[in-house]
Amino acid sequence: MQKDKKSRRISDPMARRLPMYYRQLCDIEKEGAVDISSFELAKRMDLTDSQIRHDLNAFGGFGRRGLGYNVQLLKKSIGDILDINRERTMIIVGAGNIGRAVALYPGFSQSGFHVTALFDVDPEMVDRKLGNIPVYHAKELAGYLSCHAVEIAVLATPSSAAQETLDVLAAARVPGVWNFVPVTLSAPEGMIVYDVHLTDSLMVLSFRMHEQQVHRENKDWTE
Amino acid sequence: MQKDKKSRRISDPMARRLPMYYRQLCDIEKEGAVDISSFELAKRMDLTDSQIRHDLNAFGGFGRRGLGYNVQLLKKSIGDILDINRERTMIIVGAGNIGRAVALYPGFSQSGFHVTALFDVDPEMVDRKLGNIPVYHAKELAGYLSCHAVEIAVLATPSSAAQETLDVLAAARVPGVWNFVPVTLSAPEGMIVYDVHLTDSLMVLSFRMHEQQVHRENKDWTE
């Protein structure tokens, strides 16, 4: 296995390919394949096989020349790189529609992300429970963080409260923020803030619908 | 400009790169660049430049040899391919947390997607308005679709109601469904159903946090 000591930050597009590799490998594993060539993986990802090797080499490379990749090992390795092969504690600030939707989304706990608390200012929400998750007043956030090791905070407040909330999270040295608020935030060095781009997904649907229409009308993309 | 008559379906990973190209080109345009080489675009996307040309050639190719791409034209072209350079009508079925969050999300109307109606069975929601959007009873869905040209339906019902809702949408020949319900649905030929993978975004955050830790501890990925 190659070692690659470069500390260069992985680019956003490459980072965003990692979950797709992971999901693809889950599918391939379910189909019962033991090994996969970079050629075959490239075909399924619609990347060139040199692109696949380039991506995976950034993490040390996992291929055995002539044998391709062991599906289970590669999936495990990418899971380790994504750091989803362990349990994690997550809180949600803002128990509006997005906050509640994230709290109740069934897919996260399967990947090891556990929501332990919600924070809001609405008296009708505070000191109740959403599912099994307690809802606290936002003013209790700093206190909660001082006695719980929270790794990820979901930011789902109104835009006007986003920066001050981030400042509280930063003061408590919460390392990661999953940001649903469509504003530009100023975060201290060392804190990772990742913005959700929900519109991207809607654009892919829009593209698929357009693709079908183009295909039906037997046109091509440039007409 | 090359013409490429092949009718092959664009793969999911390539389709998912298109909004990333679009967003990158919006940024490049804001920075004031007029042209961009496939090399420079490749660097920003962390793809090889042959991958960039491969992707764009699938849509006819937009490069002028030696000159690279005109930023504004390429952005317009990818916008046309994504079919986001026009107005579109969208309804939402299920006015729970996700449905309401989508209805109130500010980013969609900027890309031409306009929510005209919500549907739910909850008597406390029905016949009211959410923002400016009327909420109707789910039993009125078929009637609504028979007299409104809806292009996209957002599926945000409970899992148990997802398939029957899809059947109503299919009978009315709604061409596109943006599916937030984590179940496998059976759709008729010609209907595009695109599933939202919210977990992918959380995985990228998780990766970024891990990357920073690896960098801090001066380890590499394979240790």
Side-chain angles (χ1 to χ4, degrees):
Chain A
M1 193 172 280
Q2 288 174 274
K3 295 265 171 175
D4 184 354
K5 278 278 178 198
K6 71 183 168 192
S7 61
R8 181 177 81 74
R9 223 171 147 269
I10 300 291
S11 71
D12 192 50
M14 192 196 282
R16 293 176 68 178
R17 287 197 289 277
L18 288 170
M20 295 191 235
Y21 279 115
Y22 187 78
R23 202 138 38 76
Q24 198 69 248
L25 287 160
C26 290
D27 289 347
I28 295 165
E29 192 181 37
K30 271 182 213 143
E31 291 163 21
V34 173
D35 291 300
I36 189 157
S37 63
S38 61
F39 178 80
E40 183 58 33
L41 187 56
K43 214 172 93 183
R44 292 182 69 129
M45 296 284 294
D46 206 26
L47 293 165
T48 62
D49 56 337
S50 70
Q51 181 74 52
I52 298 272
R53 287 193 303 269
H54 168 85
D55 283 358
L56 298 182
N57 276 338
F59 301 99
F62 307 97
R64 293 159 298 161
R65 192 162 289 275
L67 286 171
Y69 304 102
N70 177 290
V71 174
Q72 215 181 348
L73 279 181
L74 184 58
K75 186 191 135 200
K76 166 79 168 59
S77 298
I78 293 181
D80 286 342
I81 288 165
L82 288 169
D83 204 16
I84 54 172
N85 292 332
R86 64 183 183 93
E87 305 296 302
R88 217 84 61 85
T89 296
M90 189 154 94
I91 60 155
I92 299 172
V93 190
N97 294 313
I98 288 179
R100 290 201 299 269
V102 169
L104 300 172
Y105 193 79
F108 300 137
S109 62
Q110 285 166 25
S111 301
F113 300 98
H114 298 288
V115 179
T116 57
L118 273 148
F119 295 86
D120 206 291
V121 293
D122 181 351
E124 296 210 3
M125 295 288 304
V126 168
D127 292 332
R128 302 199 171 182
K129 282 197 167 195
L130 185 74
N132 289 320
I133 309 161
V135 184
Y136 301 113
H137 196 280
K139 70 186 178 204
E140 296 174 57
L141 178 58
Y144 184 91
L145 295 172
S146 71
C147 53
H148 293 85
V150 171
E151 288 197 60
I152 293 172
V154 179
L155 195 57
T157 63
S159 298
S160 57
Q163 184 63 53
E164 62 181 299
T165 303
L166 194 88
D167 294 342
V168 174
L169 298 169
R173 299 190 175 276
V174 173
V177 173
W178 198 27
N179 176 35
F180 284 80
V181 187
V183 289
T184 307
L185 297 166
S186 152
E189 214 188 299
M191 179 186 238
I192 308 279
V193 178
Y194 191 72
D195 299 329
V196 175
H197 294 289
L198 207 48
T199 312
D200 282 13
S201 166
L202 183 54
M203 286 186 188
V204 176
L205 169 64
S206 174
F207 165 70
R208 287 292 184 210
M209 294 166 67
H210 186 205
E211 177 188 45
Q212 175 162 278
Q213 187 196 337
V214 165
H215 181 46
R216 238 183 225 150
E217 295 169 6
N218 200 23
K219 294 193 298 192
D220 79 20
W221 289 106
T222 56
E223 269 162 22
Chain B
M1 196 170 279
Q2 287 174 277
K3 295 268 172 174
D4 185 355
K5 279 279 179 198
K6 70 181 169 195
S7 61
R8 182 178 80 75
R9 226 171 144 268
I10 300 292
S11 73
D12 193 48
M14 191 196 284
R16 292 176 68 178
R17 287 197 289 276
L18 289 171
M20 295 190 234
Y21 279 116
Y22 187 79
R23 201 137 38 76
Q24 197 67 251
L25 287 161
C26 290
D27 289 348
I28 296 166
E29 193 182 35
K30 271 181 213 145
E31 292 163 18
V34 173
D35 291 300
I36 189 155
S37 64
S38 62
F39 178 80
E40 182 58 35
L41 187 56
K43 214 172 94 184
R44 293 181 68 129
M45 296 284 294
D46 205 25
L47 293 165
T48 61
D49 56 337
S50 71
Q51 182 74 51
I52 298 271
R53 287 193 301 269
H54 168 84
D55 283 358
L56 299 182
N57 276 337
F59 301 99
F62 308 98
R64 294 159 299 159
R65 191 163 289 276
L67 286 172
Y69 303 102
N70 176 289
V71 174
Q72 214 181 348
L73 278 181
L74 184 59
K75 186 191 136 203
K76 165 78 169 57
S77 298
I78 293 182
D80 286 342
I81 288 164
L82 288 168
D83 204 15
I84 54 172
N85 291 333
R86 65 182 183 92
E87 304 297 301
R88 217 83 62 84
T89 296
M90 189 155 93
I91 60 156
I92 299 172
V93 191
N97 294 314
I98 289 179
R100 290 201 298 268
V102 170
L104 300 172
Y105 193 79
F108 300 137
S109 62
Q110 286 165 23
S111 301
F113 299 98
H114 297 289
V115 178
T116 57
L118 274 149
F119 295 86
D120 206 291
V121 293
D122 181 351
E124 295 210 2
M125 294 289 303
V126 168
D127 292 333
R128 300 197 174 187
K129 283 198 166 195
L130 186 73
N132 289 319
I133 309 161
V135 184
Y136 301 113
H137 196 281
K139 71 186 177 202
E140 295 175 58
L141 178 58
Y144 184 92
L145 295 172
S146 70
C147 51
H148 295 83
V150 170
E151 288 197 60
I152 293 172
V154 179
L155 195 58
T157 64
S159 298
S160 57
Q163 184 63 53
E164 60 180 302
T165 303
L166 194 88
D167 294 342
V168 174
L169 298 170
R173 300 190 172 276
V174 173
V177 173
W178 198 27
N179 177 36
F180 284 80
V181 187
V183 290
T184 307
L185 296 166
S186 153
E189 215 189 300
M191 180 186 237
I192 308 280
V193 179
Y194 191 72
D195 299 330
V196 174
H197 294 289
L198 207 47
T199 312
D200 282 13
S201 166
L202 183 54
M203 286 186 187
V204 176
L205 169 64
S206 174
F207 164 71
R208 286 291 184 211
M209 295 166 66
H210 187 205
E211 177 188 44
Q212 176 162 278
Q213 187 196 335
V214 165
H215 181 47
R216 238 182 225 151
E217 294 169 7
N218 200 22
K219 293 192 301 193
D220 79 20
W221 288 106
T222 56
E223 269 163 22

